[in-house]
């Protein structure tokens, strides 16, 4: 049984969920998790600053550096394989995870999505679009989901959810902020639980 679970975090933007994971680590709430790599698909992602301020190795792999998506996916896979993660956490990572990466790390890739899956997931359902759709449908509640990643967007097994009410006069921004607050609690908790199961040999793909 490994002493520490090696986690790579993939980001594309602000990285507030990465921030929540780093905060939990600093607070001693992720004692068996070592964040060994932050990989960003954008060179201007604020998440990079967060990683550097915690002295975590950070690599930028941008699609525009490559002639094809296949070449981009290969570069991501090679970077990941080199850093030997036990678990991969997507945290606001907007690119699709290619089949080669899924195949190599199946059952060990987690994502957090700002809705109660299976509702409001899939292609085009990201950021503001999710919350707009929830409001448009007149939902009484929304929330976030931590799920395993498979070949389809937002499709893998849901591991945990946190709910929030949809309030009268909500805007996509207000709802997003309420959901995000829950994301920052749920994701570090689930990363911890998942890694503890990995250590105990209880996670199967
Ligand atoms: C979050 O709502 C998350 O659910 C989604 O991307 C959004 C931004 O995340 N995957 P972050 O602030 O970059 O962590």
């Amino acid at each position: 049984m490994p002493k520490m679970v090696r986690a790579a975090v993939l980001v594309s933007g602000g990285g507030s969920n990465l921030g929540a994971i780093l905060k939990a680590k600093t607070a001693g709430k992720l004692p068996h998790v070592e964040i060994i790599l932050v990989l960003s698909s954008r060179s201007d992602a604020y998440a990079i600053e967060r990683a550097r301020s915690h002295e975590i190795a950070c690599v930028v792999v941008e699609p525009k550096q490559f002639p094809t998506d296949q070449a981009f996916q290969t570069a991501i896979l090679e970077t990941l394989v080199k850093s030997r993660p036990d678990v991969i956490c997507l945290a606001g990572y907007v690119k699709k995870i290619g089949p080669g990466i899924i195949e190599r790390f199946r059952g060990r890739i987690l994502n957090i999505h700002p809705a109660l899956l299976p509702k409001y997931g899939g292609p085009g359902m990201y950021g503001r679009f999710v919350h707009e759709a929830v409001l448009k449908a007149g939902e009484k509640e929304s929330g976030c989901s931590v799920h395993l990643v498979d070949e389809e967007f937002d499709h893998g097994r849901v591991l945990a959810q946190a709910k929030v009410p949809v309030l009268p006069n909500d805007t996509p921004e207000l709802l997003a902020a309420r959901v995000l607050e829950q994301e920052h609690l749920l994701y570090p908790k689930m990363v911890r639980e998942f890694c503890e199961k990995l250590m105990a040999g209880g996670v199967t793909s």
Side-chain angles (χ1 to χ4, degrees), residues 13-18 91-92 111-114 180 183:
S16 69
N17 280 292
L18 168 67
N111 183 39
I112 185 148
H113 182 78
L180 196 59
E183 293 185 38

Side-chain angles (χ1 to χ4, degrees), residues 95-135:
K95 298 301 293 177
K96 196 154 198 300
I97 297 289
I101 303 169
I102 307 270
E103 198 50 50
R104 180 70 178 71
F105 296 100
R106 189 179 296 280
R108 292 186 287 138
I109 309 176
L110 304 181
N111 183 39
I112 185 148
H113 182 78
L116 297 174
L117 293 173
K119 285 175 148 187
Y120 309 106
M125 276 292 158
Y126 60 90
R128 186 188 167 88
F129 299 114
V130 175
H131 307 294
E132 277 175 355
V134 169
L135 292 177

